[in-house]
Amino acid sequence: MQYFRLIFLVFIVAAVSGCANKFKTYNGPEVTQLYVLKSERKLVLMHHDTVLEQYEIDLGFAPDGDKKIEGDGRTPEGDYFIDRRNPNSDFHLSIGISYPNEYDIAEAKALGQPPGGDIFIHGRGPIYRKAGADWTWGCIAVTDREMERIYAMVQDGTPITILP
């Protein structure tokens, strides 16, 4: 009888710890392209011409227009790629976007300002869990649970197009 209790206890501990793991697995079709539709507040994950997932998003606190300079609160627009991952993000999990590109750097330089950087798709984390709409400094935010799925599905190097 003690043996069965031990097995049951091990099973319960494994089940509970599995629920707490923020690192999910994904075995479906490859995500070949990401689209951010700023005006619709949508992030779309594609496999070629097929929509795999769609998520409602929050943007920078100044959501209209293209990011021009550091600190403007805007989310950039253009073609980029996923270039890094942060499993220890203050925003639960995050994947980096390759902003700024050469065009962004030249545009900011013409304005005499730095272009900024550190643009991510990320969760909310414990601090911003109850934040309102469009609260980031230019990043793209989803819920923590959605970010776990996105983090598992999207690989470094995946192209992302951010549209107005």
Side-chain angles (χ1 to χ4, degrees), residues 31-160:
V31 176
T32 57
Q33 176 75 45
L34 300 170
Y35 289 101
V36 173
L37 311 172
K38 289 173 58 175
S39 63
E40 296 178 35
R41 300 299 191 277
K42 295 277 184 203
L43 169 64
V44 183
L45 282 60
M46 303 287 296
H47 173 73
H48 302 296
D49 293 334
T50 304
V51 174
L52 296 174
E53 305 270 338
Q54 283 190 80
Y55 300 97
E56 291 184 20
I57 60 171
D58 289 316
L59 299 170
F61 63 82
D64 296 330
D66 186 15
K67 182 167 195 60
K68 302 285 186 206
I69 59 171
E70 183 173 37
D72 65 8
R74 292 187 172 129
T75 302
E77 298 170 359
D79 294 317
Y80 305 96
F81 60 91
I82 301 304
D83 66 350
R84 61 199 180 280
R85 309 172 93 63
N86 184 356
N88 300 312
S89 173
D90 289 340
F91 302 96
H92 191 59
L93 292 169
S94 61
I95 54 176
I97 297 172
S98 63
Y99 175 87
N101 60 27
E102 289 180 19
Y103 175 81
D104 300 316
I105 294 168
E107 189 174 46
K109 186 176 181 180
L111 295 170
Q113 299 287 324
D118 284 339
I119 302 296
F120 287 86
I121 300 171
H122 60 66
R124 289 181 166 264
I127 297 171
Y128 297 98
R129 189 154 289 136
K130 295 185 191 266
D134 297 333
W135 55 273
T136 77
W137 281 86
C139 294
I140 298 151
V142 295
T143 69
D144 290 350
R145 186 170 296 214
E146 291 167 340
M147 192 60 225
E148 290 172 2
R149 179 114 170 114
I150 294 164
Y151 195 89
M153 292 177 73
V154 176
Q155 301 303 309
D156 289 358
T158 304
I160 179 169

